[in-house]
Amino acid sequence: RFPVGRALRAATRVVAMSASDAPADAAPAPLFPWDDPDFPWDERPFPPPDRPLPPSMRISKNENNPVVVEIVLQLKKWEVVASDGKETFRITANIEMYWTDDRVVGFPTFTKAVPQNLWRPRLNGCSGFDLGAAEAYELVPRFYGYDTSQEHRPADGRIAMIFPVSLKDGFDISADMERFRSFPFDSTRVDLSIVVFGAKRPEFDKDIRLSLRRPNLKSIVDKYESAYQHIDVDGAAQNSNDYELAGVSVAVGGHDPPSRFTNDLRFKEGDQMPDYFISFHIKRSSTFYVHNGIQPMYTIAFFGFVGYAVEPSDLANRVALCAVLFLSIYAVQWTTVGHIPRLPFKTVMDYVSESVSSVLMLILVGDCVAYHVARPKRGCLKDTLDELQCQFDDASADGVDLICGVIVLLYVLGYAVGYRTLFAAYRATKSNGHQRPWGSGSYLRNTWRPSTEAYHLKMDAEYCRRWGKKFLGQGVKVEREKW
């Protein structure tokens, strides 16, 4: 390892060496690291001792003066593409990484290019998450902090590595069939991860500390009310086809290294692999289905109560009203059938139509019971000469109507609307929808947990009203267990 001051000290010793001690044909020692063709740029830089980590970032059991790498997610575009019966989630984004390498302080950027083997983290994306040249270790970082007029100023040690990321073949969100049970309130969470992982050069959390605390500029802090840069939304819309982006979550964490790394001489008990987690929270835009399907359905159900305004003795008109309302159910279904996925099980939308049919059936049964309870016996005038005893008993019919009306109302509000619609959507969202915890996912990466920092940016109507398609700031801190 070749710290910054080492070259200067070496040069001083060479100058102070007497001529009799130095070989006559010895080449002078390089004064600076960039003058040494054999300088080990690929080794991890060591921050100076006077730059300690804050207490909140001292999470490793074996501290080793780690390099702090700040990470920012830049989201440019996302979309859900429906094709061949599948719904595929795609993104266009960049990952920005920033760190400090004190070995390049004073590097002559006007005469020399960035060393091709300059140290940078070795990265591995999860399955399907393409990091491009960064994952192949072919992307050379650049000196950070120079605009066009300052590009030839000597380097100050700040390094940046910005690389595009994408879901190479897309992420099939329709593969999770269970979430469709809550259609049209279904949602999902796309979980991705990047691991600092090198087979040739294992580096643990004691060597690299990932951070979500890249400071914002003062003007940006005032504009977006964010002290740090977590997520840079640059032109990404909130909606895509039938879906909307409900939020983005980022976190840093760690996991136990593979067994072959535990035999490495640098490994100590408790060392972990640094991880960077990203989650996209996606939910279906239910407005179309609510206003064109669910709301008309429940309107039909409540319109069935109008039948109680018809005299109980007029059973024919009551039955006719229910028959018309029954036909209206299928007319409403016809307007939305082209937008509903073909599934082998019932969804919330199906339960709504079933509940409305049940409501009308209960009302119809109640009408029939009220009529037969209140009507006079057959041949009543043959048994008695009092015509008053052979009249329709409106009081009894009204009593039956009241009992049936209360039962049907409780069924509609409590079971159909409350349980089958609202609670079913809430339960699905929390258990396997976009609000489920990271640890409830089905992939191996979901067993790796955030360690210190976990944030969520909620992209609701208020977010869109304030920020639109541009935001550079931080999310709300979330407990690691609930992230």
Side-chain angles (χ1 to χ4, degrees):
R1 295 178 177 80
F2 204 140
V4 176
R6 179 178 172 183
L8 297 176
R9 292 194 297 271
T12 303
R13 288 195 297 268
V14 170
V15 173
M17 185 184 298
S18 63
S20 59
D21 296 331
D25 57 348
L31 184 61
F32 299 105
W34 45 86
D35 292 329
D36 184 358
D38 299 322
F39 186 77
W41 291 111
D42 58 336
E43 293 189 7
R44 180 176 68 88
F46 281 79
D50 58 352
R51 193 190 301 152
L53 288 174
S56 59
M57 294 187 66
R58 298 173 188 169
I59 59 173
S60 176
K61 297 181 179 180
N62 306 299
E63 289 296 346
N64 190 31
N65 198 13
V67 177
V68 177
V69 179
E70 299 168 340
I71 307 182
V72 180
L73 169 66
Q74 183 185 55
L75 179 61
K76 292 181 173 292
K77 181 182 177 181
W78 72 277
E79 61 181 347
V80 175
V81 180
S83 178
D84 299 329
K86 297 195 304 183
E87 293 177 318
T88 305
F89 174 72
R90 302 178 185 277
I91 60 169
T92 301
N94 290 330
I95 297 293
E96 304 174 5
M97 290 187 168
Y98 304 91
W99 66 91
T100 300
D101 190 336
D102 292 273
R103 301 174 301 176
V104 299
V105 173
F107 193 98
T109 61
F110 53 94
T111 59
K112 292 180 178 292
V114 178
Q116 295 297 299
N117 62 337
L118 184 65
W119 179 92
R120 61 269 197 189
R122 289 187 178 270
L123 307 173
N124 279 265
C126 61
S127 177
F129 194 26
D130 185 16
L131 310 184
E135 188 164 5
Y137 207 69
E138 297 173 353
L139 181 65
V140 179
R142 63 180 178 85
F143 298 120
Y144 176 75
Y146 307 103
D147 56 26
T148 304
S149 62
Q150 299 173 318
E151 61 182 355
H152 295 315
R153 192 178 62 183
D156 60 3
R158 291 182 295 170
I159 303 294
M161 188 171 71
I162 302 174
F163 52 93
V165 296
S166 64
L167 294 169
K168 193 171 184 179
D169 298 319
F171 189 97
D172 184 11
I173 61 175
S174 59
D176 181 13
M177 295 290 288
E178 281 299 312
R179 73 174 179 87
F180 286 104
R181 293 186 183 276
S182 59
F183 178 88
F185 304 104
D186 56 307
S187 60
T188 188
R189 175 172 176 167
V190 179
D191 297 331
L192 307 173
S193 66
I194 298 177
V195 181
V196 179
F197 183 91
K200 296 181 179 179
R201 189 191 66 198
E203 289 174 321
F204 307 100
D205 58 349
K206 65 183 178 183
D207 305 312
I208 300 176
R209 189 63 39 81
L210 302 182
S211 172
L212 299 177
R213 300 185 183 183
R214 178 164 179 76
N216 250 333
L217 298 175
K218 180 63 169 63
S219 59
I220 303 298
V221 171
D222 297 337
K223 182 177 181 180
Y224 294 112
E225 303 174 1
S226 299
Y228 300 106
Q229 298 178 13
H230 295 162
I231 303 168
D232 181 6
V233 180
D234 188 12
Q238 188 189 21
N239 294 86
S240 175
N241 292 332
D242 214 18
Y243 290 86
E244 62 182 77
L245 187 61
V248 180
S249 297
V250 292
V252 294
H255 69 279
D256 295 332
S259 58
R260 69 176 183 272
F261 284 165
T262 58
N263 298 323
D264 192 277
L265 296 177
R266 288 166 289 187
F267 174 79
K268 292 184 179 180
E269 190 67 30
D271 287 345
Q272 291 194 322
M273 293 290 188
D275 302 324
Y276 176 55
F277 303 130
I278 309 171
S279 276
F280 296 94
H281 305 256
I282 308 166
K283 66 178 182 179
R284 190 182 301 275
S285 300
S286 60
T287 304
F288 171 82
Y289 303 96
V290 170
H291 288 282
N292 293 279
I294 295 178
Q295 184 175 318
M297 285 286 189
Y298 284 129
T299 301
I300 291 172
F302 283 105
F303 198 83
F305 286 90
V306 175
Y308 291 119
V310 180
E311 288 297 328
S313 59
D314 193 359
L315 181 61
N317 283 331
R318 284 192 170 190
V319 172
L321 176 61
C322 287
V324 171
L325 294 178
F326 266 119
L327 294 177
S328 301
I329 294 175
Y330 299 103
V332 171
Q333 287 181 327
W334 183 258
T335 62
T336 58
V337 68
H339 303 273
I340 298 176
R342 275 64 171 171
L343 300 168
F345 47 77
K346 295 179 182 179
T347 66
V348 168
M349 184 74 85
D350 298 320
Y351 284 118
V352 168
S353 61
E354 279 190 3
S355 298
V356 174
S357 299
S358 300
V359 167
L360 296 179
M361 186 60 68
L362 289 173
I363 292 177
L364 183 59
V365 171
D367 292 341
C368 295
V369 171
Y371 178 81
H372 284 278
V373 167
R375 74 174 180 82
K377 298 179 181 179
R378 291 185 179 91
C380 177
L381 293 177
K382 295 180 180 180
D383 299 334
T384 179
L385 298 177
D386 189 359
E387 293 184 358
L388 294 177
Q389 296 182 7
C390 296
Q391 292 181 349
F392 192 86
D393 189 355
D394 290 313
S396 298
D398 290 341
V400 174
D401 280 349
L402 179 61
I403 294 174
C404 291
V406 171
I407 293 174
V408 173
L409 185 62
L410 292 176
Y411 176 85
V412 172
L413 297 180
Y415 181 79
V417 178
Y419 178 75
R420 277 300 186 188
T421 305
L422 299 180
F423 178 73
Y426 172 81
R427 179 178 57 187
T429 300
K430 290 292 186 180
S431 60
N432 59 2
H434 74 93
Q435 292 184 7
R436 67 161 173 80
W438 167 273
S440 299
S442 58
Y443 295 95
L444 173 63
R445 53 185 174 272
N446 293 113
T447 62
W448 308 335
R449 301 300 176 90
S451 55
T452 55
E453 301 177 84
Y455 299 89
H456 174 70
L457 177 63
K458 187 177 181 180
M459 304 174 73
D460 54 7
E462 177 63 18
Y463 166 90
C464 295
R465 184 188 67 81
R466 297 185 65 185
W467 313 123
K469 295 184 178 181
K470 179 60 182 177
F471 177 80
L472 176 58
Q474 65 187 77
V476 177
K477 193 168 187 178
V478 183
E479 295 182 18
R480 291 177 294 170
E481 294 75 14
K482 297 180 179 179
W483 184 80

